[in-house]
Amino acid sequence: RIYVDVVFNHMAAGEGEVVGTGGSLVYPEERLYPHVPYGPEDFNPPCIIKDYQDVKQVRNCGLVSLPDLNQKSENVRRSVIEFLDRLIDYGVAGFRADACKHMWPEDVEFLFGNTKDLNKEFGFPKNARPFLYQEVIDLGQEPISKNEYTSIGVVTEFLFSAEIGNTFRNKKLKDLMQWGSDKRFLRSDRALVFVENHDNERGHGAGGKDILTYKDGKLYLLAVLFTISHPYGIPRIMSSYEFSNSDQGPPASANGDIKSPVMNSRGICTNGWICQHRWPGVVGMVQFRNAVAGRGILNWMDNGEQQIAFCRGDLGFVAFNGYTMANLNSTVKVCLPPGIYCDVITGDVTDAGCTGQEVLVNKSGYANIFIPGDSPTGVLAIHWGSVYLLD
């Protein structure tokens, strides 16, 4: 499914005549965007946000130099809804709405509440509504609250990103026992959660130096796999490309054409692309999450330090070894029927057996779990769908 990133808070800035990527000509200083069309009457009076404690300024003034659209304008509302409806006709499943903090909640609700239902020609059920997640950066330090937007749709939980980075960098894995219960977090079904996004992985936006990125290697992967395995929130996985400075664009040829990813023999992206969503461990953990959906955490275990494990109800079991030198080697209750299970992080289930690590669950529901300190992921996960042979 495709979820389109849409921006309706503002339009592009620039001096004089500016040529868009599609060839349209716009005149930002005059607030003229003929191809929409937008004119000066569709924008808020010129001003720049200087005080994020001033709610009206944040929502009615320009974000840096970007001309600030007035979402109460009938022309703006009609143009936005027509655009969203056209995307729905194309078969998209929903939208990421950028910069929602800079728009009044009632305007956001109007725009997305008046679209068409999803297109049944693409397999969506009758009366299905587009999935909406709204970008609202709120770490609890400003008067505009992410909770103002939860009745409209899902909201980006940037505090999750900051806190999970802080925990994996500076604390112990055992400290994750109560993860998701922080009262500062959004309620689970309204929270879009992520280890990093396209802004804060580059030092922009919320989170600061604690944000984990692909450059942090195994520590980053541990955090991503924990995020997917845990029942709190709606996870979003970053799919990135290499960068050496915060303003660097995607891999491109000398004439500016974006390069396509090239897959190696293991299905991993090269050619400057990271493609975290294709990492085998991530793919396996997504399968795990789908298999244990609706089940909470049972039988939490830890060694008081950097090794943890838990069941997801009676449908799955996952273990994490945060050490880089010491092994995790323990016999624990895995909450699954007796049999041979395949670890979905290191391989798959086939007719011939497991392509990765096997886990033997005895008649008492216990199994010996082994994760070496030099494991590239530090994680093992089994679930009811990864059973090779039931006892």
Side-chain angles (χ1 to χ4, degrees):
R1 296 302 189 184
I2 294 173
Y3 302 86
V4 179
D5 190 350
V6 293
V7 185
F8 302 133
N9 174 66
H10 51 264
M11 296 295 286
E15 297 179 355
E17 183 178 81
V18 177
V19 182
T21 55
S24 60
L25 301 180
V26 301
Y27 308 88
E29 293 169 309
E30 301 175 51
R31 304 298 192 259
L32 291 175
Y33 299 80
H35 283 70
V36 181
Y38 287 152
E41 67 279 2
D42 296 312
F43 292 83
N44 287 316
C47 56
I48 300 295
I49 300 170
K50 296 181 179 179
D51 180 8
Y52 273 80
Q53 299 302 313
D54 185 332
V55 172
K56 289 184 178 179
Q57 190 178 118
V58 172
R59 287 174 170 158
N60 292 338
C61 290
L63 182 60
V64 292
S65 61
L66 299 165
D68 196 63
L69 278 169
N70 177 9
Q71 290 79 29
K72 290 180 171 55
S73 158
E74 288 300 322
N75 182 48
V76 171
R77 288 184 166 189
R78 182 175 57 255
S79 298
V80 168
I81 294 169
E82 287 176 356
F83 174 67
L84 294 173
D85 282 346
R86 188 159 67 251
L87 292 172
I88 290 170
D89 289 341
Y90 294 156
V92 306
F95 307 100
R96 173 199 179 266
D98 184 73
C100 284
K101 180 169 73 175
H102 298 280
M103 297 184 282
W104 295 96
E106 61 268 26
D107 293 335
V108 178
E109 184 173 24
F110 184 90
L111 293 174
F112 290 96
N114 284 281
T115 67
K116 296 177 178 179
D117 291 336
L118 294 177
N119 192 338
K120 293 186 294 182
E121 293 182 10
F122 292 89
F124 297 108
K126 184 179 180 180
N127 300 324
R129 298 295 297 156
F131 179 80
L132 171 65
Y133 63 102
Q134 306 157 91
E135 186 208 26
V136 180
I137 301 176
D138 174 19
L139 300 182
Q141 300 161 346
E142 299 172 18
I144 294 177
S145 169
K146 55 199 172 189
N147 291 294
E148 297 177 55
Y149 297 84
T150 55
S151 64
I152 307 168
V154 171
V155 178
T156 52
E157 182 51 280
F158 278 87
L159 188 61
F160 180 104
S161 178
E163 288 297 323
I164 200 165
N166 178 46
T167 300
F168 275 81
R169 284 190 186 279
N170 305 315
K171 299 181 182 181
K172 306 293 186 184
L173 294 192
K174 71 175 182 63
D175 297 323
L176 293 164
M177 183 176 183
Q178 300 299 326
W179 186 255
S181 64
D182 191 325
K183 298 301 184 184
R184 299 174 301 162
F185 282 0
L186 291 163
R187 74 174 198 250
S188 182
D189 66 330
R190 296 285 92 180
L192 188 95
V193 299
F194 45 92
V195 173
E196 87 284 39
N197 81 341
H198 61 284
D199 281 325
N200 66 12
E201 75 164 352
R202 295 160 175 263
H204 303 161
K209 59 181 175 54
D210 285 332
I211 298 301
L212 290 163
T213 78
Y214 76 91
K215 296 184 180 185
D216 292 300
K218 182 177 178 179
L219 189 65
Y220 166 73
L221 181 55
L222 274 170
V224 171
L225 296 182
F226 177 81
T227 297
I228 304 170
S229 72
H230 196 277
Y232 174 76
I234 302 167
R236 184 204 51 76
I237 301 164
M238 185 66 188
S239 188
S240 190
Y241 53 83
E242 296 173 357
F243 62 91
S244 56
N245 71 75
S246 64
D247 295 320
Q248 184 174 333
S253 63
N255 64 1
D257 293 332
I258 295 176
K259 296 180 180 179
S260 295
V262 174
M263 308 301 167
N264 64 19
S265 58
R266 297 187 298 126
I268 303 298
C269 293
T270 60
N271 210 28
W273 294 90
I274 306 300
C275 302
Q276 291 96 318
H277 68 291
R278 288 182 175 270
W279 292 357
V282 171
V283 173
M285 193 60 86
V286 169
Q287 294 170 352
F288 173 89
R289 184 181 182 88
N290 291 336
V292 302
R295 297 294 198 273
I297 290 178
L298 292 178
N299 202 39
W300 174 278
M301 296 158 279
D302 64 63
N303 71 339
E305 290 285 339
Q306 294 285 59
Q307 295 177 343
I308 63 173
F310 54 86
C311 301
R312 288 291 304 273
D314 58 354
L315 298 181
F317 168 86
V318 62
F320 295 80
N321 182 11
Y323 294 126
T324 56
M325 300 293 289
N327 300 334
L328 188 161
N329 190 3
S330 183
T331 298
V332 298
K333 187 175 180 64
V334 299
C335 311
L336 288 165
I340 298 174
Y341 293 79
C342 300
D343 170 32
V344 297
I345 305 302
T346 56
D348 298 309
V349 186
T350 70
D351 292 339
C354 303
T355 61
Q357 187 173 347
E358 285 188 359
V359 178
L360 176 62
V361 180
N362 66 25
K363 294 184 184 298
S364 299
Y366 284 78
N368 178 254
I369 302 301
F370 180 75
I371 306 175
D374 61 357
S375 162
T377 66
V379 183
L380 177 147
I382 56 175
H383 58 79
W384 65 269
S386 72
V387 63
Y388 168 61
L389 182 66
L390 284 175
D391 190 347

